[in-house]
Every structure is written in structure tokens, then in C-alpha cells.
Amino acid sequence: MDPVLLVASIMVSATPILLAAIGEMVVEKAGVLNLGVEGMMITGAVVGFAAAVSTGSPLVGFAAAALASAVLSLSFGFLTQVLLSNQVATGLGLTLVGLGLSALVGASFEGVRAPGMHKLRIPLLADIPVFGPMFFRHDVMVYVSLLLVLAVWAFLKYTRAGLILRAVGEDHESAHALGYKVVRVRMAAIFFGGACAGLGGAYVSLVRVPQWTEGMTAGAGWIALAIVVFASWRPLGVLIGAYLFGGVTVLQLNLQAAGANVPVELLSMSPYLITILVLVIISARGVHGAPGSLGRSFHAST
């Protein structure tokens, strides 16, 4: 396969996972375990597709998808942060709600094609031989995902708000004693994570497979959750994990198309196995970053 086309395909394949995983990493850094990423992604996929088809604008679709999934994530936030419901059970419920809701909304969009997403040609850089077509001729969301990783890294490492978010995630009792609004910080993180998951879902239905099919995220939300854990809650690890998964996915699809003498089932499961294996090896180096209060409910009176 043409290496230029291969790298370009990997960047497209990795983008939805990267968007969802970086959002979930921020949520977990705040001490909240939201297992509803798959439900938020599929909701973003169907809402983004419907909005884009109705308006003819993919960018409107992305904005609608981010808003819809962020609002849906607030229901999770209200139940877990205000009513103190179990985070694991509520997250799983959110996934089920998202899958059911998307099937209902998307029924009338089966067989419809999404409006095309134009590619950007970054001046000068796009004309560089080999590297130009590889890295500088993609749609805008590919660059948004990469900039988002950089922004999240800088936010968590260098800003006061990022320090507060990490403090809330590490020890919510101490953060509360210092006067920080634990619930407010966590709700903001949950809203951000929901918006990122929505963008990831919309990328699947508007760019990767520009049409609506029920259940089309196909477990991308779950692999995003796994990447956050095995990346030790670090933005760079999330980026590596997402691109690794995207790379293996593209390779196995090409092997299937070329008629490789390997069982299709083994090729299909290879992205999941290889991604988790490599990230386990990376995390085994001893740098672990699980927030101390991850998954624990907080109440000011406790």
C-alpha cells in the first residue's frame, strides 16, 4: 500500500478515538468514572448526522453533536454528583440510553449520505513532497483533535484551573477543605468529556463512514476508555494509544482486502489486542497516574 495514503488513513481512523479518549481523560482526572462514552459517542453520531443533513453543513453537525452529547452527559453528572448514584451503574445506563435513543432518532436517516467535509490545504506545508499529503491535507477535525491534546496537556500542567481539577481528582476532601467547589469542577469536566465524545461520534458518521448505520461506533467508546487507563491518564499516552489503534485498524482492513491467509476474525480483533498489549507494556514501566478519588462519590457533609 502507498505509505502516504496509509499514514493519511491512520490519522483519519484514529481521530474519533482520540477525541473521545482525551475528553474521558479529563473527566477521570477530576475523579469521575464515566462508562457512558459509547452512549455519548453514538448520540453524537446520530445528532451530528441529522443536523448536517438538515443544514447541509458538517460543521453545524459537529457543533450539534458536541452540544447534544454534553447535555446528555449532564444527566450522568446530576445523578452521580448531586443524587450520588453509583458511577459505574449510571455510566452503563447512559450507554444503553444512548444506543436506544440513537436507533430511534436515526431510523429515518438510513441510506442518506452525509454532506462532504472539505479538506484543508495548509499553505506551503501541504506542498512539501510526501509529508504534505501525509500530514497537511486533512479535514479540520483531524487538526482540532491534535490541538485538543496539546491544549489539555497545557491546561493540566500549567494552569491554576488545571491544578484545581487535578486536586479535586486526587483528594476531593482536601480540595473541599481548601474551598474549591468539587461538584462544580466535576460537572464542568463531565460536560467537556461529553462534548468530546460527541465530536468523536460525529466524526464517525460524517467523515469515516459518511452515512448513518445503527450501532456504527462499534465499541469505539469502550476502546477509548481502555486507552485512558493503559495510557496512565497522560495526554501523550492517549495520543499514542489512539494512533496505534487507528494504525492497526487500517492495516488489518488492508490485509483483508488483499485476501491475506489469516482468519478474518483474528484480523478484526487484532486492533484491540495489539493496542492493549502495547499500552500495558508502556504502563508497566512504573508510571501510574490513577487519580486518588477516581470513582468515589463526594458529599460536603461526609
Side-chain angles (χ1 to χ4, degrees):
M1 183 181 182
D2 183 357
V4 173
L5 183 59
L6 177 64
V7 173
S9 300
I10 289 172
M11 294 183 74
V12 171
S13 179
T15 296
I17 300 282
L18 180 58
L19 286 166
I22 198 67
E24 176 62 14
M25 195 205 74
V26 171
V27 176
E28 295 191 13
K29 277 287 190 183
V32 180
L33 180 62
N34 185 357
L35 298 182
V37 179
E38 179 75 7
M40 294 186 294
M41 282 191 77
I42 196 70
T43 300
V46 70
V47 172
F49 187 85
V53 168
S54 301
T55 63
S57 170
L59 293 181
V60 172
F62 278 109
L67 181 61
S69 296
V71 170
L72 182 63
S73 73
L74 287 183
S75 65
F76 169 85
F78 178 75
L79 290 170
T80 58
Q81 304 306 308
V82 179
L83 302 184
L84 303 182
S85 65
N86 182 277
Q87 294 181 15
V88 172
T90 308
L92 293 175
L94 187 64
T95 288
L96 295 176
V97 168
L99 291 170
L101 187 65
S102 65
L104 179 66
V105 174
S108 58
F109 291 96
E110 295 275 1
V112 178
R113 189 165 181 82
M117 187 86 172
H118 296 297
K119 292 185 178 181
L120 291 178
R121 282 181 59 88
I122 299 178
L124 300 179
L125 295 176
D127 297 324
I128 299 174
V130 181
F131 290 102
M134 273 186 182
F135 302 111
F136 304 114
R137 295 183 188 177
H138 292 284
D139 60 83
V140 67
M141 292 308 298
V142 170
Y143 304 114
V144 167
S145 68
L146 295 173
L147 289 175
L148 203 55
V149 173
L150 182 63
V152 166
W153 170 77
F155 171 78
L156 293 174
K157 190 172 181 64
Y158 294 111
T159 69
R160 183 171 183 272
L163 181 63
I164 294 172
L165 186 142
R166 286 191 288 133
V168 166
E170 288 297 333
D171 189 341
H172 53 216
E173 299 291 352
S174 298
H176 173 67
L178 291 172
Y180 298 126
K181 306 296 184 185
V182 173
V183 173
R184 193 177 301 174
V185 170
R186 287 183 169 174
M187 289 294 281
I190 291 168
F191 187 86
F192 176 77
C196 289
L199 290 175
Y203 196 83
V204 175
S205 63
L206 294 177
V207 180
R208 273 192 59 187
V209 187
Q211 61 181 11
W212 165 253
T213 305
E214 185 177 336
M216 68 186 308
T217 50
W222 298 113
I223 198 70
L225 278 163
I227 283 174
V228 172
V229 175
F230 291 114
S232 300
W233 292 267
R234 291 173 297 179
L236 180 59
V238 168
L239 179 67
I240 293 172
Y243 270 72
L244 181 65
F245 180 81
V248 180
T249 300
V250 171
L251 284 174
Q252 65 93 10
L253 288 174
N254 279 281
L255 286 173
Q256 287 190 40
N261 190 24
V262 181
V264 174
E265 294 80 5
L266 186 60
L267 288 173
S268 298
M269 66 191 294
S270 60
Y272 302 91
L273 292 178
I274 294 175
T275 302
I276 290 176
L277 177 63
V278 172
L279 289 171
V280 165
I281 293 172
I282 292 174
S283 62
R285 291 184 306 179
V287 182
H288 303 289
S293 295
L294 181 61
R296 292 169 50 201
S297 297
F298 168 79
H299 192 275
S301 63
T302 59

